[in-house]
Amino acid sequence: MKIELRDIWISESSDFTPWLARDENLLTLGETLGLELELEAQERAVGPFRADILCKDIGTNAWVLIENQLERTDHTHLGQLLTYASGLEAVTIVWIAARFTEEHRSTLDWLNRITDETFRFFGVEVELWRIGDSPAAPRFNIVSKPNNWAKMVTQAARAIDEAELTGTKALQLAYWGGLGASLMAKGGPFSTERKPQPQSWMSYKIGRSGFSVNASMSRPKRQVRAELYMSHPNAKPWFHLLRAQKEAIEAELGYLLDWEELPEGKDTRISTPLNDIDPEDQMDWPRQHEWLTARMNEFYRVFVHRVKALDANAWRPEADTGADVL
């Protein structure tokens, strides 16, 4: 049964926006759009207006700005969206409403035609449906999207489904599927079901954009690795600020870490390896997955609050000795 939005939400700002900002609802919206959304802020000032929801797309680290309406689209919200776009160098803008007028849908189509790939505009209609006495569930319907978006998403999905899932790709999918089962069985911070990917690593959120706890495999090195990975313009300052806490961090964990500034690139990582193993040996996977599960959960416990407290401006390069960096 379809439910009127106003029967559930009276206010956009105090009812609808907090509901949409929940992890499970951003996950549903992200799956509809082909994005992996991580909440950054609600009611954040952007120029003279306040954006309803500000997210990051984990896959690209790009801004995603979401504007909500419980009614049909109007010129006021369109003007706000254009103001947001003018104030950000690169952004995906998602306009969610109960109903789109034809003129506003056409405007988004036009914006997608005249802007380059650094700007993307989505128009999304939201519906609420209830089956029996179950809680109301959202349905997001895309009415406008960037040029070739459907084609790109379809090609990406096909590349994963068909990507010649032989050899290495098939191994990676099966391996990360087993790790996911181990993480869920343990019931820790990474126990949410996550689709495995045919690649040499899997990333998990730690609560701040630019950071992830990763599991990585290297068949040539005969190694799997748990790591805190930093991919952000502030990755170097963050790395050095964490390294200043090296003694306390390693004492809490109970083992030494590899502190890798990765000077040739922008990213950094802090890791611990399990060496002399064979990622292709499926008989040994339970042991490898148990080790990765334990280390990833330990990384979350030790790093989560430290990561959230980091201020890149606090780093003073002249005071950093550079010791203990691999």
Side-chain angles (χ1 to χ4, degrees):
M1 178 180 66
K2 188 175 180 180
I3 301 171
E4 292 297 323
L5 302 186
R6 288 289 187 183
D7 291 343
I8 301 296
W9 305 302
I10 298 174
S11 166
E12 291 173 4
S13 60
S14 59
D15 296 322
F16 184 43
T17 297
W19 172 88
L20 183 59
R22 295 176 188 168
D23 286 345
E24 63 270 22
N25 297 322
L26 284 179
L27 177 62
T28 301
L29 176 62
E31 289 175 345
T32 302
L33 301 177
L35 304 172
E36 190 171 2
L37 301 176
E38 180 179 67
L39 179 66
E40 287 284 324
Q42 298 181 52
E43 300 296 330
R44 171 68 64 84
V46 181
F49 301 108
R50 298 187 70 82
D52 289 336
I53 297 176
L54 198 59
C55 295
K56 278 290 184 74
D57 176 14
I58 294 176
T60 63
N61 203 40
W63 290 110
V64 179
L65 191 150
I66 302 173
E67 188 68 14
N68 310 318
Q69 282 188 261
L70 286 174
E71 308 293 345
R72 71 175 185 175
T73 53
D74 56 40
H75 290 343
T76 299
H77 283 79
L78 175 60
Q80 291 177 201
L81 297 179
L82 295 177
T83 300
Y84 299 152
S86 69
L88 297 169
E89 293 183 359
V91 66
T92 295
I93 290 180
V94 182
W95 189 3
I96 300 178
R99 185 172 67 85
F100 268 76
T101 66
E102 181 57 29
E103 60 183 330
H104 292 139
R105 185 198 61 76
S106 297
T107 300
L108 293 188
D109 290 343
W110 174 73
L111 287 168
N112 281 319
R113 287 197 303 271
I114 67 171
T115 54
D116 61 23
E117 65 276 3
T118 60
F119 293 93
R120 302 184 298 193
F121 297 86
F122 286 92
V124 179
E125 291 183 342
V126 60
E127 299 176 345
L128 277 179
W129 291 82
R130 173 177 288 150
I131 300 176
D133 295 328
S134 64
R139 177 185 297 171
F140 297 109
N141 304 310
I142 299 176
V143 299
S144 180
K145 58 184 178 292
N147 297 337
N148 296 324
W149 183 258
K151 180 179 179 181
M152 289 187 292
V153 171
T154 300
Q155 287 175 341
R158 186 178 299 119
I160 291 174
D161 291 337
E162 300 175 0
E164 294 114 34
L165 285 182
T166 58
T168 301
K169 298 296 184 184
L171 170 74
Q172 291 166 344
L173 269 183
Y175 190 91
W176 299 131
L179 174 62
S182 176
L183 288 167
M184 292 182 69
K186 190 65 175 179
F190 306 120
S191 60
T192 302
E193 186 171 358
R194 183 171 174 79
K195 184 177 180 180
Q197 300 295 324
Q199 58 195 25
S200 61
W201 75 95
M202 283 291 290
S203 297
Y204 296 82
K205 298 178 184 178
I206 195 173
R208 184 172 180 180
S209 181
F211 294 85
S212 60
V213 172
N214 294 356
S216 177
M217 73 162 75
S218 174
R219 291 189 299 164
K221 292 182 178 180
R222 294 179 59 83
Q223 176 191 93
V224 293
R225 185 173 62 235
E227 61 191 24
L228 177 73
Y229 200 87
M230 289 159 273
S231 180
H232 191 274
N234 288 328
K236 301 300 183 185
W238 287 339
F239 172 83
H240 289 288
L241 290 169
L242 286 171
R243 194 190 59 182
Q245 306 175 55
K246 176 178 183 292
E247 185 175 347
I249 289 171
E250 292 180 343
E252 285 186 47
L253 287 170
Y255 47 84
L256 300 180
L257 298 172
D258 293 333
W259 297 78
E260 303 172 87
E261 186 179 1
L262 307 177
E264 300 302 318
K266 297 180 180 179
D267 298 350
T268 63
R269 71 179 170 222
I270 304 167
S271 64
T272 182
L274 177 64
N275 294 313
D276 300 320
I277 55 92
D278 181 4
E280 295 187 19
D281 181 4
Q282 297 191 29
M283 296 295 293
D284 192 43
W285 280 5
R287 180 178 72 92
Q288 296 176 29
H289 291 154
E290 182 179 1
W291 183 90
L292 282 168
T293 295
R295 296 299 177 270
M296 291 170 68
N297 287 336
E298 290 162 1
F299 269 42
Y300 185 92
R301 172 178 56 82
V302 170
F303 282 110
V304 62
H305 297 299
R306 287 183 167 94
V307 160
K308 292 179 180 179
L310 289 176
D311 178 2
N313 295 321
W315 178 50
R316 298 291 179 264
E318 66 276 7
D320 201 293
T321 64
D324 300 310
V325 177
L326 296 182

